Amino acid sequence: MPMIDILLQHRTIRKYSDKPVDDQLLKTILEAGCRASTTGNMQVYSIVVTRDNAMKEKLAPLHFNQPMVKTAPVVLTFCADFNRFNQWCEARQANPGYDNFLSFTTAAIDALLVAQNVAVAAESQGLGICYLGTTTYMAHQLIELLQLPKGVVPVTTITMGWPDGMPDQIDRLPLEAVVHYETYTDFTPERLDAIYREKEARADNRKFVAENGKESLAQVFTDVRYKKADNVAFSKMFLEVLAKQGFMNQ
């Protein structure tokens, strides 16, 4: 199947069969992932592979007990990682200056590029994946569980396995919502109405609004799913993680 078709047919897979992922297949997928673009060819990222069921049991609460953490054959934690690069520099009489927020951002971008490569490589082989946005919320506990040293911060997680069924695709906004040509074009009320009309009209989203007792889909996001108080609390914790892991010297 052409790569563009694989991308266009992406689905979030939360239910997996009990068929294991072959060691060689996983290695090939990881090798493909590590061919991703990287800042200055430094490869300032790491991937922690979790296949042990006991470790998945420990990981699950840190991802709000989402069931696929335990049921997926493979869980991959992608980390921004300057630890290895810093040690290499020091071993070669070079003085690393990567203890700042820009360096964390550089490493996080590298890690996310690799994560997306891994996801696409897995899907190209018939595997399914699910991206977990909980990684940064619980980064402090993931650091402890995965024994991540200073200079390493988890930024995203992907579960991987053979799909048990094929769910419907999740909706996406039209290109007009996210693509700007030459310069950014800000949104008018009329453009916003046009962009979000189909999303707001979906039966599943209307049900989502009703179940939460809200007046609009936007209110579900602001008042239920991603509340300001939670955002502030998790932001504070994550900034503390960055300081502890050595990325706030500025």
Side-chain angles (χ1 to χ4, degrees):
M1 181 185 297
M3 187 58 65
I4 195 167
D5 290 337
I6 293 169
L7 291 167
L8 288 170
Q9 293 181 25
H10 165 72
R11 285 165 169 77
T12 298
I13 302 299
R14 293 184 171 88
K15 294 183 179 180
Y16 302 96
S17 75
D18 56 7
K19 178 182 176 182
V21 176
D22 177 76
D23 290 347
Q24 185 55 53
L25 176 59
L26 177 59
K27 181 181 178 182
T28 299
I29 289 168
L30 294 175
E31 286 176 340
C34 292
R35 295 305 306 175
S37 298
T38 174
T39 304
N41 199 24
M42 292 186 290
Q43 289 188 262
V44 282
Y45 58 83
S46 288
I47 308 166
V48 180
V49 180
T50 302
R51 306 181 82 174
D52 178 72
N53 287 332
M55 183 61 84
K56 291 180 199 172
E57 289 284 343
K58 296 176 182 178
L59 271 179
L62 308 189
H63 290 290
F64 301 172
N65 288 311
Q66 296 177 83
M68 52 277 195
V69 176
K70 293 192 215 179
T71 59
V74 180
V75 181
L76 302 172
T77 306
F78 295 85
C79 304
D81 182 358
F82 258 105
N83 174 57
R84 166 181 41 78
F85 195 82
N86 285 342
Q87 290 194 44
W88 175 67
C89 289
E90 290 166 353
R92 301 296 187 271
Q93 293 73 54
N95 184 25
Y98 310 117
D99 56 350
N100 45 70
F101 185 71
L102 178 63
S103 296
F104 165 73
T105 303
T106 295
I109 291 169
D110 273 15
L112 294 171
L113 287 169
V114 170
Q116 182 61 18
N117 252 30
V118 166
V120 175
E123 291 178 328
S124 76
Q125 300 303 303
L127 289 158
I129 66 98
C130 182
Y131 151 71
L132 305 182
T134 43
T135 306
T136 50
Y137 300 164
M138 303 300 288
H140 56 300
Q141 293 189 35
L142 286 167
I143 286 169
E144 182 178 352
L145 178 63
L146 301 177
Q147 300 179 26
L148 305 180
K150 190 173 182 178
V152 185
V153 177
V155 292
T156 195
T157 301
I158 288 176
T159 61
M160 179 191 300
W162 301 103
D164 182 11
M166 192 57 61
D168 293 335
Q169 278 191 308
I170 295 174
D171 64 295
R172 289 290 187 263
L173 294 173
L175 283 184
E176 291 77 10
V178 297
V179 177
H180 303 257
Y181 293 96
E182 311 307 337
T183 60
Y184 191 98
T185 303
D186 210 348
F187 298 92
T188 63
E190 294 76 17
R191 281 192 69 209
L192 286 173
D193 287 345
I195 286 168
Y196 282 94
R197 183 174 295 118
E198 184 176 343
K199 187 180 189 75
E200 292 174 327
R202 286 175 57 98
D204 55 350
N205 284 335
R206 291 202 306 271
K207 181 181 178 183
F208 202 23
V209 173
E211 287 175 344
N212 285 282
K214 295 299 175 181
E215 298 176 357
S216 69
L217 183 61
Q219 288 181 356
V220 175
F221 280 89
T222 61
D223 301 351
V224 180
R225 296 192 68 190
Y226 303 105
K227 296 180 288 187
K228 180 177 181 178
D230 292 341
N231 293 336
V232 170
F234 285 127
S235 293
K236 182 179 179 181
M237 285 193 293
F238 196 60
L239 286 170
E240 290 172 352
V241 164
L242 296 186
K244 181 180 178 182
Q245 296 302 94
F247 286 110
M248 295 299 284
N249 180 26
Q250 57 265 331

